[in-house]
Amino acid sequence: MTGFAGFPLAGLDFYEDLEADNSKAFWTANKEIYDRAVKQPMTALIAELEPAFGSAKIFRPYRDLRFAKDKSPYKTAQGAVVRAAPGVGWYVQINAGGLLVGGGFYQASPGQLEQLRATIDDDVRGTELVTILAKLTRVGFTVGGEKLKTRPKGYDDDHPRIDLLRHKSLSCSKDFGAPAWLETPQAAKEVRATWEAMRPLVEWLAAVVGGAPS
């Protein structure tokens, strides 16, 4: 495998076309583009970042249709994740819109969610999280994640961190789009810097939920 040289714009075009024609016929006819412009550069990128962050999992391009109403067979984005703890890690994705880089807590077991909320409730540890997220938003990150519409049971509406307590998942991300450097090795430096900026959040979450019961 050669070193990471950037994400070719042909990969973005591939996903734009796939969104219009999500069929086996299109996939079969254009799989060479996927392999060359999406899968190969993603594989090279995570290999370059592995020494600093750990090994990554590249997600399969095929959708799980067993319980899905949408029977489109292929995902319209290629993602990869480096796990720091169960449900916690760094994330990178390429799709028709370009590059998205993020990280956080994506899948919570009941025990993990209970532990997360108990820690957010703590005035010392909860305030640490508020400070981490504030620093990230100041440098352009967007805070996301699935949230309850109402307060979780056992917590008051006027809790100083009620918004964080409503989270069922918690992540931060930067949507870079398709800047000129996307097709160059500079893209790896941008992903590395973004993941490093998120390290305090990922490590805080991993420490909190990593040993929580399922």
Side-chain angles (χ1 to χ4, degrees), residues 1-4 39-48 50 58:
M1 183 182 66
T2 59
F4 178 73
K39 185 177 180 179
Q40 289 178 10
M42 182 64 79
T43 302
L45 173 66
I46 63 173
E48 184 167 325
E50 181 174 349
I58 298 180

Side-chain angles (χ1 to χ4, degrees), residues 2 5 9 16 19 24 35 47 50 55 61 71 79 89 98 108 123 129 131 134 141 145 158 161 175 188 193 199 210:
T2 59
L9 294 185
E16 184 175 358
E19 289 176 358
K24 188 176 188 299
D35 289 338
E50 181 174 349
S55 61
K71 298 302 182 181
D123 285 339
L129 179 59
T131 300
F141 284 86
D158 61 354
R161 292 174 294 283
D175 190 344
R199 191 180 288 277

Side-chain angles (χ1 to χ4, degrees), residues 34-208:
Y34 166 79
D35 289 338
R36 170 177 51 84
V38 178
K39 185 177 180 179
Q40 289 178 10
M42 182 64 79
T43 302
L45 173 66
I46 63 173
E48 184 167 325
L49 298 176
E50 181 174 349
F53 298 95
S55 61
K57 173 186 176 181
I58 298 180
F59 293 112
R60 288 165 48 86
Y62 313 106
R63 298 182 62 245
D64 184 350
L65 305 181
R66 289 174 297 175
F67 307 107
K69 293 182 179 179
D70 178 5
K71 298 302 182 181
S72 301
Y74 304 102
K75 298 175 183 177
T76 54
Q78 177 63 68
V81 63
V82 176
R83 290 190 172 91
V88 179
W90 289 275
Y91 181 73
V92 60
Q93 171 186 288
I94 197 79
N95 66 5
L99 179 69
L100 176 76
V101 185
F105 185 33
Y106 292 98
Q107 295 177 321
S109 68
Q112 287 177 313
L113 189 56
E114 180 180 356
Q115 182 62 45
L116 177 64
R117 286 180 175 153
T119 309
I120 292 172
D121 182 44
D122 181 82
D123 285 339
V124 175
R125 297 286 277 136
T127 301
E128 288 176 357
L129 179 59
V130 171
T131 300
I132 290 169
L133 292 173
K135 289 180 179 178
L136 289 171
T137 56
R138 282 198 297 270
V139 294
F141 284 86
T142 298
V143 178
E146 184 182 359
K147 298 168 69 173
L148 295 173
K149 294 182 178 179
T150 59
R151 63 177 175 82
K153 293 181 180 179
Y155 298 97
D156 296 330
D157 288 323
D158 61 354
H159 191 287
R161 292 174 294 283
I162 190 61
D163 188 61
L164 286 175
L165 287 167
R166 289 169 54 212
H167 276 267
K168 298 175 68 176
S169 60
L170 179 62
S171 62
C172 279
S173 64
K174 273 190 178 183
D175 190 344
F176 288 97
W181 49 256
L182 186 61
E183 293 187 282
T184 76
Q186 178 67 26
K189 297 179 181 179
E190 297 291 341
V191 175
R192 180 190 298 273
T194 305
W195 279 3
E196 282 294 352
M198 300 188 66
R199 191 180 288 277
L201 174 63
V202 172
E203 291 184 346
W204 188 96
L205 290 167
V208 169

